[in-house]
Amino acid sequence: RNIQHVTEIFKKAKRLLLLTGVLSSNINMSLHMVGLGLGDEDDITVKGLKTVQSADVVFLEAYTSVLGGSVDYHKRLEQVYGKPIIVADRDLVEQQAEDLILQPAHQEGKKVAFLVVGDPVCATTHTDLWLRARQLNIHVEVIHNASIMGAAGATGLQLYQFGQTVSLPFFDGTWRPVSFYPKIQYNRRGGLHTLCLLDIKVKEPDFEAMTKGKVRYLPPRFMTVNTACEQLLEAEETVGQQAYDGALCVGLARMGRTPSDHHDSITVTDSQREQEQQQQGQLIVAGAPGELQ
């Protein structure tokens, strides 16, 4: 019994060391999480490009964000990177990751690259995949890149004065969640800015078609800054605590793009009730900007 107890302690200690990176896993079993940056296929780092080109299997996570505002950008990536790319939708990443992403690395010893728009560690989905890989004794390498978390500083608002980041989902019928409201309220009470990540819908199932036995997906949808403001105002009417009434807001679109793209990044600063329709992007609800900002 004592031997079994000690064995279990050693197993738990080994798992902990693997998760924290103190104990190295088999380098032949590897998952490489590669950040693509914000603008286009050219934003990948030199290290990231070398990793992709030497990988046995390449996946592209394509549901938490899109590169350059195009849903078929994986074709451009294949052309520039010179590798076939498997597009990983929500179902693949969240439900089939062990079989389709981790198994090639774990059981077949292949080098797997997992491409992420922005930086790989900015979404809990990617962190979850990282942890699952480490639990299988798969070596994980993260190659960082620019993300909206850092690019928000281009607005002139100082990054160290940002509070909690929130996600704004599309309101749908009677499903109109306001879980973001108290977080924005908490930030503004402390004079902190709030970065609002706006929802995208890619490869969403058409449930009406499913009832007829057909597999069909709805057209992609990208939340605009205007829609985000409308939903924030509706949430204010629902909760009624004036968390951000009259707040200064900054709308962002196409961050990471350059003027040579003819679609360079834009920022629009205005009061929330005067925000004009913008392309899909992100929204910042300012706290107390101060004179310098």
Side-chain angles (χ1 to χ4, degrees), residues 154-213:
T155 62
L157 298 176
Q158 296 172 347
L159 292 179
Y160 60 77
Q161 202 171 333
F162 275 75
Q164 300 179 70
T165 298
V166 302
S167 297
L168 297 184
F170 275 112
F171 286 176
D172 184 18
T174 59
W175 189 73
R176 313 182 88 74
V178 294
S179 56
F180 53 81
Y181 186 95
K183 294 181 180 180
I184 299 177
Q185 183 180 48
Y186 179 86
N187 287 343
R188 281 184 47 79
R189 283 177 176 174
L192 302 177
H193 315 311
T194 305
L195 174 62
C196 304
L197 304 178
L198 309 190
D199 199 5
I200 68 173
K201 298 289 187 183
V202 179
K203 202 178 178 181
E204 292 290 313
D206 185 337
F207 293 107
E208 183 177 347
M210 291 176 63
T211 60
K212 301 176 182 178

Side-chain angles (χ1 to χ4, degrees), residues 203-270:
K203 202 178 178 181
E204 292 290 313
D206 185 337
F207 293 107
E208 183 177 347
M210 291 176 63
T211 60
K212 301 176 182 178
K214 300 178 181 179
V215 178
R216 185 181 301 163
Y217 298 99
L218 298 172
R221 288 196 298 158
F222 304 91
M223 183 182 290
T224 63
V225 172
N226 186 63
T227 298
C229 288
E230 290 175 352
Q231 293 192 180
L232 286 175
L233 292 172
E234 180 180 328
E236 179 61 66
E237 293 177 359
T238 300
V239 182
Q241 296 182 9
Q242 298 184 327
Y244 39 76
D245 188 38
L248 182 70
C249 292
V250 183
L252 302 88
R254 304 192 297 269
M255 299 305 293
R257 305 298 293 271
T258 61
S260 60
D261 297 325
H262 304 294
H263 296 288
D264 53 314
S265 60
I266 57 174
T267 60
V268 177
T269 307
D270 214 331

Side-chain angles (χ1 to χ4, degrees), residues 9 13 19-20 34 50 77 83 94 101 103 109 124 128 137 148 155 174 188 202-203 207 216-217 248 262 266 276 286:
I9 292 176
L19 288 172
T20 56
V34 182
K50 290 180 178 179
L77 300 186
K83 298 286 288 189
E94 295 184 351
I101 299 177
Q103 182 174 320
T124 54
D128 177 68
N137 200 27
I148 191 61
T155 62
T174 59
R188 281 184 47 79
V202 179
K203 202 178 178 181
F207 293 107
R216 185 181 301 163
Y217 298 99
L248 182 70
H262 304 294
I266 57 174
E276 295 182 354

Side-chain angles (χ1 to χ4, degrees), residues 5 16 46 70-71 87 94 108 121 134 153 175 208 251 273 281:
H5 181 64
L16 179 61
V46 174
S70 173
V71 295
V87 178
E94 295 184 351
E108 303 170 27
V121 297
R134 295 308 299 267
W175 189 73
E208 183 177 347
R273 293 184 181 275

Side-chain angles (χ1 to χ4, degrees), residues 34-40 43-44 66-67 116-119 145-147 255:
V34 182
L36 296 179
L38 293 173
D40 54 33
D43 280 2
I44 192 171
V66 296
L67 194 65
V116 176
V117 176
D119 188 274
N145 209 322
S147 77
M255 299 305 293

